[in-house]
Amino acid sequence: MQRRLTGSANDPLIRARYRRESRFKAYSITALFVAFAIIVAFFTDIISQGYSAFWQSEIRVTLDYNERAERIGRFAIPEDLREIVSRGAVRSIPLEIRNNPELAGTTRTEWVPVYSRIDQYFKGKEELPPALASQVDALKAEGIIRTTFNWAFFTSGDSKLPELAGIFSAAVGSLLVLAVTLVFAFPIGVMSAIYLEEFAPDNKLTQAIEVNINNLAAVPSIIFGLLGLAVFINTFGVPRSSALVGGLTLGLMTLPIIIISTRAALRAVPDPIRLGAFAMGCSRWQVVRDHVLPLSLPGILTGTIIGLAQAMGETAPLIIVGMIAYIPEAPTSIFESATVLPAQVFTWASEPRKAFVEKTAAGIIVLLAILLTLNATAVFLRRRFERRW
C-alpha cells in the first residue's frame, strides 16, 4: 500500500507536490512516446526505401556470340534491347568467348538484369522517356521482363552499376574484421580484467590504470583510427585497407569495453565462493580458474558480444586505415584489401544515382538486422546463464 504524506490532503503544499508529480509523470510518458515515434519513423523510412532493393527486374534475351561480340559484348544483344539490358550483364562476353572458343557463332537465351533506370521505373521511383516507357511496358506485358528476388544483392560484390552492386564482399570483410577483433581483444581484455580485479594491489598505479581504461571507453572512435594508422600501418607495416589492420584497430576500441564488462562480471561473484575455495587449500589462481571465471563467463560473453556489435557498426576508424576502398571481389585472407558493411553503406550513400538510394537503405536494413541479432544473442546469454545470488 502506498504511503501518504503526513498532513491534511487540503494543504496547498501537499496539493502542489501532487500536481508536480502528475506533471513529471506526464512529461515522462510524453518523452517515451516521442522516442518510440522517432524509432518507428526511422524504421518505416528505411524499410520503405530499402525493401525494393531485394527485388530486381530482369529481361529474357538471346545472346548472339558473333564476331563483333568478341570485341564488344553489347553486340551480342539485339539492337532494340541494348538500351534496356544492363551493360554490366554482357561486359564479360568477350572474355567468355576467348576462354571458350566453342561459343563463337552460337546463341543462348538467358535472363539478365535490366538497366537501373528501367528497374527504378518499374518500382515507381524514376521516369522514362515516353517511347522507352511504352517499349518496356509492352515487353513486361509479354512476359519478356519479369521481377524476381535479387539474389545478386547477397552473392555479388560492389559495382559501379547499381543494378549489379551487392554486399557479399563487404559481408566477408566484416566477418574477417570481427574475427581479428575477437582474437585480439578477447584474451587481452579478459586477462587484463582478471589481473586488475583479482591479483593487482590497490595502489596509485592500478588506480591510474583503471581511470585510463574508463576514459578510453569514452574516447571518440576516430581517435582509435588515428592510433591504428600510426601504430599498425606506419610503425609495424601492416597492409593498409586489410582486414588485419581493421580488426586490430577495432580491437583497440573494443578492449576497454571487454575489460570493464569482465571486471563487473568478476565482481558479481560473491566473496563466500572465493573464501570457501581458499578454505579448501586452493591457490589464488585455482580460485579464479576453477570457481570465479566459470561463474562469471556469461557476463563476460555478454559484454564481449556487445563490444563486437559496437565495433560492427563503426566506420570512422576504418576510414582512417583505408577500408573505404572499392572492393568488387570478396577478400580471401586477412591480408587482402577489404571493406565492411558500414563503409559500403557510406560509399553507396555518396553515389549520385537514384538507384543507389535503395541500395543504401537495404544495406542499412541488413546491418541493423545483424546488430539486433548480436544484441539479442547477448540478452539471451545473460538471461539463460545468469545466476542470482
Side-chain angles (χ1 to χ4, degrees):
M1 183 174 180
Q2 187 177 3
R3 296 176 57 188
R4 295 187 60 84
L5 297 174
T6 58
S8 172
N10 295 323
D11 190 337
L13 293 178
I14 300 298
R15 292 201 302 270
R17 291 176 185 176
Y18 287 155
R19 286 196 298 269
R20 285 195 295 268
E21 179 182 355
S22 299
R23 286 196 298 269
F24 180 77
K25 289 181 178 179
Y27 296 153
S28 300
I29 294 174
T30 301
L32 180 63
F33 276 106
V34 169
F36 181 75
I38 292 174
I39 293 175
V40 170
F42 169 75
F43 278 98
T44 301
D45 180 63
I46 292 298
I47 293 175
S48 64
Q49 292 189 51
Y51 82 95
S52 58
F54 301 116
W55 303 94
Q56 174 70 40
S57 297
E58 296 179 337
I59 183 171
R60 187 178 68 239
V61 297
T62 300
L63 301 178
D64 183 7
Y65 295 96
N66 51 58
E67 293 182 359
R68 293 191 298 174
E70 295 181 16
R71 299 187 301 273
I72 302 176
R74 299 288 287 179
F75 288 116
I77 306 172
E79 186 174 357
D80 59 330
L81 299 180
R82 291 175 187 170
E83 194 177 357
I84 300 175
V85 176
S86 169
R87 66 176 183 271
V90 294
R91 61 187 174 188
S92 62
I93 287 180
L95 181 61
E96 290 181 12
I97 297 177
R98 286 195 295 269
N99 293 336
N100 303 280
E102 66 275 9
L103 289 176
T106 63
T107 60
R108 185 171 62 187
T109 301
E110 289 186 2
W111 289 95
V112 297
V114 301
Y115 186 51
S116 61
R117 288 187 61 194
I118 310 295
D119 182 56
Q120 293 295 296
Y121 167 74
F122 286 124
K123 295 173 181 177
K125 298 182 178 182
E126 193 165 343
E127 296 294 332
L128 295 177
L132 182 58
S134 300
Q135 182 185 5
V136 297
D137 286 338
L139 292 173
K140 189 173 181 64
E142 296 173 10
I144 298 177
I145 294 180
R146 68 179 184 181
T147 300
T148 63
F149 187 77
N150 189 10
W151 291 107
F153 181 74
F154 299 97
T155 60
S156 59
D158 193 15
S159 174
K160 297 299 182 182
L161 302 174
E163 63 270 20
L164 300 181
I167 62 171
F168 181 70
S169 59
V172 173
S174 295
L175 291 177
L176 293 176
V177 168
L178 286 183
V180 173
T181 301
L182 180 63
V183 171
F184 172 70
F186 182 75
I188 296 177
V190 171
M191 288 189 291
S192 300
I194 291 174
Y195 175 76
L196 290 173
E197 192 63 30
E198 301 291 339
F199 296 95
D202 187 12
N203 53 33
K204 292 184 178 180
L205 177 60
T206 56
Q207 291 174 4
I209 293 175
E210 292 175 3
V211 170
N212 281 279
I213 290 174
N214 292 329
N215 289 336
L216 283 175
V219 169
S221 59
I222 196 170
I223 302 300
F224 291 100
L226 296 173
L227 181 62
L229 176 64
V231 175
F232 299 126
I233 295 179
N234 295 339
T235 302
F236 293 103
V238 178
R240 186 181 180 90
S241 303
S242 65
L244 178 59
V245 69
L248 293 175
T249 301
L250 293 182
L252 292 177
M253 190 190 71
T254 309
L255 263 177
I257 300 174
I258 295 179
I259 293 174
I260 293 172
S261 61
T262 301
R263 293 193 65 189
L266 294 172
R267 199 177 298 121
V269 178
D271 285 336
I273 293 178
R274 296 178 175 85
L275 297 177
F278 282 129
M280 297 298 294
C282 295
S283 65
R284 181 173 290 275
W285 168 238
Q286 288 175 320
V287 172
V288 173
R289 182 192 62 192
D290 299 330
H291 301 277
V292 177
L293 192 58
L295 293 174
S296 61
L297 190 59
I300 295 173
L301 293 178
T302 299
T304 301
I305 293 174
I306 292 175
L308 290 177
Q310 180 180 350
M312 178 76 179
E314 286 294 339
T315 306
L318 300 181
I319 292 177
I320 299 297
V321 297
M323 294 194 70
I324 198 69
Y326 171 69
I327 309 294
E329 300 293 335
T332 57
S333 74
I334 60 176
F335 302 101
E336 296 181 6
S337 295
T339 189
V340 292
L341 283 172
Q344 185 68 78
V345 170
F346 175 81
T347 300
W348 284 343
S350 61
E351 293 287 344
R353 277 176 285 188
K354 291 183 179 180
F356 276 111
V357 174
E358 67 174 13
K359 295 287 185 179
T360 301
I364 293 174
I365 292 174
V366 173
L367 183 59
L368 286 175
I370 295 174
L371 294 178
L372 291 175
T373 301
L374 289 175
N375 282 278
T377 302
V379 172
F380 170 78
L381 290 176
R382 185 176 69 246
R383 293 186 176 180
R384 176 66 176 81
F385 299 104
E386 184 180 21
R387 295 193 179 186
R388 298 186 181 274
W389 310 100

